[in-house]
Amino acid sequence: MIDTHSHLDGEEFVDDLHEVLQRAQSAGVEKIFLPNINGQTLARIRQLCLEHAGYLYPMIGLHPEDVNPETTDIEAVLQQMEQELQQEHHPYIAVGEIGLDFYWDTTFRQQQLEVFERQVEWGIRYNLPLMIHARNAHRELVEIIARHQHPQLRGVFHCFTGTANEAEELLQFPNFVLGIGGVLTFKKSQLPEVLRQSVPLSRIVLETDSPYMAPVPHRGQRNESAFVVEVAKKMAEIYGCDMSEVDAVTTQNVNRIFALG
């Protein structure tokens, strides 16, 4: 199994990261992908992935909640990130975590749209997949991705929890998959029915979004990569197959999108 989205660089893991990684390996997690969120987190992510090369893999991007011109020199951060991508042997496997978030606040809506579009263009320019976060922004997301269609444009719609219609709209983009995490296991979640109805297993990758949104039976605890097994178990139940098939197909999907070689 591969956890395609885990914030292991966060302070929540400072005291026991070694044990967290051991538990993930014992649970059968073969690789863990670390999304970046701003200029301050980049060095920590790079260092962790260097220390655990071949197991942890870094992304680079500016998260929409960090697109705040009152607290961040956005242009300087974007220039710094693109300079990293211009290095011939950079370590980054994706542009992310990027996207749009109009859930709490739309004060910087226009800036978010501009920054997201610019980072979508990086995906094409540097031939990297995108790790996309979107809340209360489905329409804007679809419009931007549609406008930038290109053979190299690909990626993950992270933390998908939408409707069947929204899933179908996102899956019209052939080189994108849905990232599915702990919400799938929640008692009142509509996501199992949405997947049954509209999403083939060939368009899904597994994720935890650690330390957030731990799956049942760990709900309410700090999430960690080992818990991705619970997501895979639920997925096997939904698709009526063995966990080994969920593992094999989702891993194949990851390899297709991320092209790690």
Side-chain angles (χ1 to χ4, degrees):
M1 277 169 287
I2 297 174
D3 181 1
T4 60
H5 199 111
S6 189
H7 297 276
L8 294 181
D9 60 298
E11 60 183 17
E12 297 89 350
F13 298 103
V14 167
D15 295 332
D16 66 341
L17 180 62
H18 180 69
E19 291 80 6
V20 167
L21 294 180
Q22 282 188 324
R23 286 193 290 271
Q25 289 175 320
S26 297
V29 179
E30 301 161 25
K31 296 181 177 74
I32 304 172
F33 298 170
L34 273 57
N36 184 62
I37 59 170
N38 57 41
Q40 286 71 49
T41 56
L42 204 48
R44 168 76 173 157
I45 286 176
R46 282 196 65 159
Q47 183 60 33
L48 284 178
C49 293
L50 188 62
E51 292 171 0
H52 302 277
Y55 194 65
L56 302 183
Y57 294 79
M59 306 181 206
I60 186 168
L62 183 60
H63 191 285
E65 291 183 347
D66 284 82
V67 177
N68 184 336
E70 294 178 355
T71 59
T72 303
D73 186 341
I74 294 170
E75 183 58 32
V77 172
L78 292 175
Q79 286 185 12
Q80 173 202 356
M81 290 180 176
E82 187 163 17
Q83 285 171 3
E84 297 241 8
L85 289 173
Q86 289 168 348
Q87 301 302 311
E88 186 175 357
H89 299 296
H90 71 74
Y92 304 108
I93 63 164
V95 178
E97 179 177 356
I98 65 173
L100 303 167
D101 196 316
F102 305 140
Y103 183 75
W104 296 112
D105 189 359
T106 57
T107 304
F108 305 114
R109 182 180 187 278
Q110 187 56 40
Q111 289 93 334
Q112 281 195 34
L113 290 166
E114 292 170 1
V115 169
F116 177 50
E117 196 148 8
R118 184 162 165 183
Q119 293 180 103
V120 169
E121 290 167 357
W122 290 355
I124 298 169
R125 185 176 307 138
Y126 302 106
N127 192 22
L128 289 171
L130 309 176
M131 179 62 70
I132 299 176
H133 166 114
R135 283 202 301 181
N136 283 32
H138 177 79
R139 182 54 46 215
E140 294 89 342
L141 169 64
V142 169
E143 288 174 357
I144 289 174
I145 297 299
R147 193 158 62 241
H148 287 82
Q149 275 306 287
H150 186 280
Q152 290 180 179
L153 186 64
R154 64 194 192 278
V156 178
F157 296 115
H158 154 62
C159 194
F160 177 78
T161 57
T163 65
N165 285 340
E166 288 170 339
E168 288 165 6
E169 282 195 281
L170 295 177
L171 294 181
Q172 72 179 309
F173 303 115
N175 297 323
F176 280 82
V177 294
L178 305 183
I180 304 296
V183 172
L184 184 67
T185 69
F186 294 178
K187 185 176 181 180
K188 295 183 178 179
S189 174
Q190 301 300 309
L191 196 51
E193 186 53 37
V194 169
L195 296 192
R196 283 191 197 97
Q197 184 179 337
S198 303
V199 185
L201 190 56
S202 61
R203 302 297 298 278
I204 289 173
V205 296
L206 303 173
E207 62 177 37
T208 60
D209 203 15
S210 304
Y212 316 110
M213 294 190 299
V216 174
H218 307 286
R219 192 171 183 186
Q221 302 174 25
R222 177 193 68 175
N223 201 1
E224 58 180 77
S225 289
F227 297 168
V228 77
V229 171
E230 303 301 334
V231 182
K233 284 180 186 174
K234 184 66 177 180
M235 209 165 281
E237 176 189 317
I238 290 166
Y239 288 100
C241 63
D242 293 334
M243 267 189 64
S244 60
E245 183 175 348
V246 171
D247 183 3
V249 174
T250 57
T251 297
Q252 184 179 29
N253 299 341
V254 171
N255 292 335
R256 184 174 72 250
I257 297 298
F258 288 87
L260 293 183

